[in-house]
Amino acid sequence: AQRVTQPEKLLSVFKGAPVELKCNYSYSGSPELFWYVQYSRQRLQLLLRHISRESIKGFTADLNKGETSFHLKKPFAQEEDSAMYYCALSCATGANSKLTFGKGITLSVRP
Amino acid sequence: NAGVTQTPKFRILKIGQSMTLQCAQDMNHNYMYWYRQDPGMGLKLIYYSVGAGITDKGEVPNGYNVSRSTTEDFPLRLELAAPSQTSVYFCASSYPSSAAYNEQFFGPGTRLTVL
């Protein structure tokens, strides 16, 4: 069975500090990984997907199959990055893409 | 487009009462999902649907029922509310695509308390 582990519940940093939100997964097949974000009083929304290899709002995430990790990183945190972040795994075959979410981590960026 | 809408926003139920959480989307998405979010537990999939008339159980389906008579609507029914069903419920939808590019669009959530 697939599983997503986010080992920390809360990360508090000062503005300008680097951020790394950890995500590890367990899946025997070829995983598709995502980061979703929920800002205060907003809907949960997709931040980035590993297949796109993109930087969104300064965040990047690299899939490391050897370590089964997909950590989210940003070199210089901003106050507007404060939010709840969820790592998610899709391991569907075919088009039925269910997501398995981690427990989430709250990122707090202090001025 | 309104995207994914959910009603009500808040509800308090007594044990044993029943209710239906409404979810609608106007993006013509085939796939729809219901999740519950408990503090510190992330999102758990309750039920999902890949199209009108087709539904299937997720990870935590007990105590819930769903139907999908149209592409747009995907109501979630609680028949006998229990305190363990106190949670925030999210509906989501997505367009069929490969797993790698799938993006789910979420509603604003319904906060349900069962007393």
Side-chain angles (χ1 to χ4, degrees):
Chain A
Q2 61 273 12
R3 188 170 64 247
V4 176
T5 302
Q6 294 181 252
E8 300 159 329
K9 291 186 178 181
L10 171 67
L11 179 63
S12 184
V13 302
F14 285 107
K15 177 182 173 181
V19 167
E20 182 178 64
L21 306 182
K22 298 187 188 303
C23 173
N24 290 90
Y25 66 90
S26 173
Y27 178 56
S28 57
S30 181
E32 305 298 345
L33 285 146
F34 307 82
W35 278 97
Y36 278 76
V37 61
Q38 188 173 24
Y39 300 103
S40 178
R41 291 183 291 278
Q42 293 189 28
R43 304 180 184 206
L44 189 63
Q45 58 187 288
L46 178 66
L47 178 63
L48 56 79
R49 49 170 77 89
H50 96 267
I51 193 72
S52 302
R53 299 187 182 278
E54 56 202 344
S55 174
I56 302 293
K57 299 184 178 181
F59 284 99
T60 58
D62 292 320
L63 178 61
N64 186 324
K65 291 188 177 181
E67 296 183 357
T68 60
S69 68
F70 188 56
H71 303 327
L72 184 68
K73 299 178 183 179
K74 185 170 182 176
F76 307 104
Q78 303 298 315
E79 290 178 68
E80 55 266 31
D81 296 328
S82 295
M84 188 81 172
Y85 291 81
Y86 292 93
C87 183
L89 166 68
S90 177
C91 44
T93 55
N96 185 4
S97 299
K98 294 182 290 182
L99 288 174
T100 298
F101 285 88
K103 294 184 178 182
I105 180 170
T106 299
L107 174 63
S108 174
V109 182
R110 294 168 287 172
Chain B
N1 286 353
V4 179
T5 57
Q6 292 183 238
T7 56
K9 290 185 179 179
F10 306 95
R11 184 72 185 268
I12 298 175
L13 284 181
K14 294 182 179 179
I15 295 172
Q17 287 185 319
S18 61
M19 78 163 293
T20 299
L21 281 67
Q22 302 291 345
C23 174
Q25 52 89 14
D26 61 0
M27 297 175 282
N28 203 31
H29 285 169
N30 290 66
Y31 295 169
M32 295 188 75
Y33 314 82
W34 273 107
Y35 295 90
R36 57 178 289 171
Q37 182 187 45
D38 300 314
M41 298 301 293
L43 282 80
K44 302 284 188 184
L45 182 65
I46 305 171
Y47 270 95
Y48 66 98
S49 169
V50 299
I54 306 170
T55 62
D56 206 349
K57 296 178 180 179
E59 186 180 356
V60 289
N62 291 345
Y64 307 94
N65 277 300
V66 293
S67 58
R68 185 93 182 271
S69 57
T70 67
T71 300
E72 294 78 18
D73 300 296
F74 190 41
L76 178 71
R77 178 82 177 164
L78 283 71
E79 291 293 349
L80 292 170
S84 61
Q85 294 178 304
T86 295
S87 189
V88 181
Y89 292 84
F90 289 99
C91 180
S93 70
S94 68
Y95 190 78
S97 68
S98 66
Y101 288 94
N102 181 270
E103 177 179 357
Q104 293 189 13
F105 294 84
F106 284 80
T110 294
R111 185 175 296 274
L112 176 67
T113 302
V114 182
L115 300 174

